[in-house]
Amino acid sequence: MGIRWRKVRDAARRYGLKAALRRTLTWALARAGLVEDTEARRRLVARYLSRTCSSTVRYGPLRGMVLPEGAWWSMHDRAAMVLGLYERDVLEELVRALRRRSLFIDIGAGDGYFAIGLVRAGLADQSWCFEASAHGRQVIAGAARLNGVAGRVRVEGTATRECLCDLPRDRLADAVVLVDIEGGEFGLLDKRVLGHLRETVIVIELHDHKPGFGPDCRIALESRARNHFDISEIALLARNPDLFSELDDLEENDRWLACSEGRGRKMTWLLLQPRIGRQTQTDRESRIVQPT
């Protein structure tokens, strides 16, 4: 109950009290079966598609990756994952950056979707995962074994400023970093950490819309990052459910729910390109599994 009231409070801050109470009432009515719960419907579509696709990614660069059954973070997103649509915009930037780099560092790795999928596809030689959840770390390790890449996926606990500054510089010059830690990016990526990571390519999912953060947090982060990086936003790509035969038998609303990531608002991802340490190693594009 405490968690629910915290959500009401956070929704009131974001949308206003009237909208928060409406959302809470809708949740209560849905629990009673009196109205349809869109998020529950999305979970239903996700379970259906995961089952019909044998929990295997069908399209895109991560095609062939088997998703773990015990996932704790991504079950609602299984439909988008098996269709290769989940954070597709971010994935394409990671693939592009890894053409000239070999190490992927995933800070806030969740269930290991990117970390394991990129290694399995031959797009990264190794992945280093930082995940605060102990259960999440178990899921990542199990998924790595399931996909035959356990020896190339390293799993660590919470990423701290100290442990990031201890990472070897020679490996960082060959690394692509993804940061998705629900607002923790603003505290983690301080001046010292960004200086230590200055030769990496960094993708950051921003959470400046969450309570306790705000536009000032983004401005300060970008100001620190400009000392070492060129900064741009990752453009979001359109989704089209009619491209997938797996969705042909579903109702139109369900086809669109299969493409949804259930986000509360439009998200922003920053791409940080280092100004120094440009890679000169041979282009690895020939090893890439091309999307279909």
Side-chain angles (χ1 to χ4, degrees):
M1 183 62 70
I3 293 175
R4 172 53 50 182
W5 281 113
R6 284 200 296 273
K7 288 185 177 181
V8 173
R9 180 196 61 198
D10 293 344
R13 289 175 179 172
R14 184 184 305 177
Y15 304 112
L17 181 59
K18 184 177 180 180
L21 292 175
R22 185 186 300 116
R23 287 161 64 94
T24 303
L25 179 60
T26 300
W27 173 83
L29 291 173
R31 288 292 297 269
L34 299 177
V35 300
E36 186 171 23
D37 184 342
T38 302
E39 190 61 18
R41 188 71 183 181
R42 192 168 77 92
R43 290 197 300 271
L44 183 67
V45 172
R47 287 196 298 269
Y48 163 78
L49 204 58
S50 182
R51 183 173 65 253
T52 57
C53 294
S54 302
S55 297
T56 302
V57 179
R58 290 283 185 91
Y59 303 95
L62 307 188
R63 184 173 65 248
M65 177 188 174
V66 181
L67 303 174
E69 290 300 324
W72 69 287
W73 181 263
S74 61
M75 289 305 297
H76 295 188
D77 298 313
R78 279 297 177 91
M81 286 179 168
V82 299
L83 296 176
L85 294 177
Y86 181 75
E87 294 191 354
R88 185 179 67 162
D89 334 271
V90 173
L91 178 57
E92 292 195 4
E93 288 295 344
L94 297 176
V95 169
R96 186 174 295 112
L98 284 165
R99 288 173 181 166
R100 293 186 178 276
R101 293 166 180 259
S102 66
L103 173 63
F104 177 60
I105 301 176
D106 197 349
I107 301 176
D111 292 328
Y113 179 69
F114 288 138
I116 293 165
L118 289 167
V119 171
R120 185 198 171 278
L123 301 171
D125 291 341
Q126 286 184 302
S127 289
W128 295 352
C129 302
F130 291 90
E131 174 51 52
S133 165
H135 179 57
R137 295 193 293 272
Q138 293 175 355
V139 171
I140 295 169
R145 291 192 296 271
L146 182 65
N147 285 275
V149 296
R152 294 189 286 149
V153 176
R154 170 176 152 188
V155 185
E156 304 285 352
T158 302
T160 65
R161 290 188 289 269
E162 289 71 25
C163 73
L164 292 183
C165 288
D166 285 339
L167 295 178
R169 277 275 178 82
D170 60 326
R171 296 309 311 274
L172 292 177
D174 189 35
V176 177
V177 178
L178 174 63
V179 182
D180 181 2
I181 48 177
E182 307 302 312
E185 63 272 15
F186 300 114
L188 180 67
L189 299 175
D190 65 5
K191 182 177 179 180
R192 184 166 68 104
V193 170
L194 287 168
H196 191 69
L197 300 179
R198 64 183 180 271
E199 294 185 70
T200 65
V201 174
I202 307 176
V203 174
I204 308 168
E205 181 173 331
L206 293 180
H207 299 85
D208 51 331
H209 60 285
K210 288 200 166 190
F213 304 105
D216 289 347
C217 294
R218 173 176 177 171
I219 291 170
L221 174 58
E222 291 187 4
S223 177
R224 296 192 298 271
R226 282 196 191 94
N227 292 321
H228 307 288
F229 301 91
D230 294 322
I231 304 172
S232 60
E233 287 189 16
I234 295 177
L236 302 182
L237 306 175
R239 274 71 166 160
N240 183 357
D242 294 332
L243 297 178
F244 303 99
S245 61
E246 292 85 352
L247 305 179
D248 286 351
D249 294 333
L250 298 182
E251 298 176 7
E252 183 173 13
N253 286 344
D254 288 345
R255 291 203 303 275
W256 282 104
L257 282 174
C259 301
S260 171
E261 295 173 12
R263 300 184 185 275
R265 56 158 283 167
K266 182 179 179 180
M267 299 297 293
T268 302
W269 286 265
L270 294 183
L271 174 64
L272 276 54
Q273 296 276 12
R275 296 201 186 103
I276 64 171
R278 303 293 186 183
Q279 294 299 293
T280 58
Q281 68 185 73
T282 303
D283 195 310
R284 305 168 69 246
E285 188 170 5
S286 61
R287 299 174 57 188
I288 293 175
V289 179
Q290 295 295 335
T292 59

